[in-house]
Amino acid sequence: MINIELVGKSALVTGSGGGIGKATALELAEAGADVIICDINKEAAEATAEEIFTMGRKSRAFTVDVSDAIQVQEMVKAVIADFNKIDILVNNAGITRDGLLIRMKEENWDKVLSVNLKSVYLVTKAVSRYMLKARSGRIVNIASVIGLIGNAGQANYAASKAGVIGFTKSIAREFSSRNITVNAIAPGFIRTAMTDALSDEVKSQMLESIPLGCFGEPSDVANVVHFLVSGMARYLTGQVIHVDGGMVM
Ligand code: NAP
């Protein structure tokens, strides 16, 4: 039987100060990986790293804006100096700045595209140098069902997540000969700070569109990340896995 333990692996998870990113970082650490935490929120990043450290794994927190090329390059250099390698990359950091197109400010378009999509290009490019040399790696990008079906009031977010899916498939093809798999997860409605901000009315409308009849938890996404970065998913690349209680099928 193939093991899903990750002992000896080092994983970088962006946006891992809270929500899905934090649950993923803890899940990978639980499976034995050393986990590098990266978040724009310093206190949150340090708190996650501390939790991982108390689990007996190596960890380090970086306060980084993943849409800033220089900050990303410096972080990856420091990670390699400290951890020697990055076996697993989870591009998770993301934001929303919702509004109908007619009222959407250009700065909210640019910000969402920058944090959700440009960051995936920047971090993947910086990390892949080392994965390509090692001829091994696992990359998981957190997209969204909104990137597949769209949503009124989320044109910027939907475009960014559709972009993440196109990027995932292209890079899966580019890296396949070097034993690097690249997959995406499209979560539906997961209970985090991002979705807590929605009104009760929107939440109950959402709930009606979920066949399994409940919202997802961050651990539901983290479990699928764990599977995708393990030996169990050796033969999977360029795929988009929906973790959405059946919302989109
Ligand atoms: P969350 O609870 O808001 O967590 C996102 C984390 O990323 C926060 O700690 C946030 O810090 C950090 N972050 C924001 N901008 C950043 C930047 N420029 N650089 C580095 N870190 C940054 O969100 P979540 O719900 O866990 O979402 C995680 C990912 O899943 C996102 O890509 C999101 O689009 C995707 N997703 C979520 C859902 C859902 O239902 N929750 C559904 C589909 C897809 P601050 O708190 O300081 O902003």
Side-chain angles (χ1 to χ4, degrees), residues 14-22 38-42 44-45 62-68 71 91-97 111 114-116 119 142-146 157 160-161 185-196 198 216 218 221 243:
T14 71
S16 42
I20 293 168
K22 179 173 183 176
C38 148
D39 203 285
I40 202 161
N41 181 327
K42 186 174 193 286
F62 288 87
T63 310
V64 164
D65 175 351
V66 286
S67 63
D68 182 304
Q71 290 184 37
N91 283 306
N92 163 79
I95 58 166
T96 52
R97 293 286 185 279
K111 182 77 181 164
S114 203
V115 174
N116 295 6
S119 70
I142 306 300
S144 168
V145 292
I146 302 304
Y157 185 77
S160 72
K161 294 301 187 178
I185 294 176
F189 189 111
I190 308 296
R191 293 200 312 159
T192 68
M194 185 181 272
T195 47
D196 278 353
L198 298 171
V221 179
V243 180

Side-chain angles (χ1 to χ4, degrees), residues 162-243:
V164 167
I165 291 170
F167 179 90
T168 300
K169 293 182 181 184
S170 302
I171 302 308
R173 291 183 190 277
E174 282 188 29
F175 292 176
S176 57
S177 64
R178 301 288 184 96
N179 187 33
I180 300 169
T181 67
V182 190
N183 291 290
I185 294 176
F189 189 111
I190 308 296
R191 293 200 312 159
T192 68
M194 185 181 272
T195 47
D196 278 353
L198 298 171
S199 69
D200 287 346
E201 195 192 340
V202 171
K203 283 185 197 164
S204 62
Q205 274 169 8
M206 287 266 187
L207 197 54
E208 277 172 28
S209 68
I210 303 173
L212 284 181
C214 60
F215 297 135
E217 298 296 331
S219 59
D220 293 316
V221 179
N223 290 339
V224 179
V225 176
H226 183 178
F227 164 70
L228 287 173
V229 303
S230 77
M232 298 273 269
R234 185 189 74 88
Y235 201 54
L236 249 124
T237 197
Q239 303 305 308
V240 183
I241 315 289
H242 303 189
V243 180

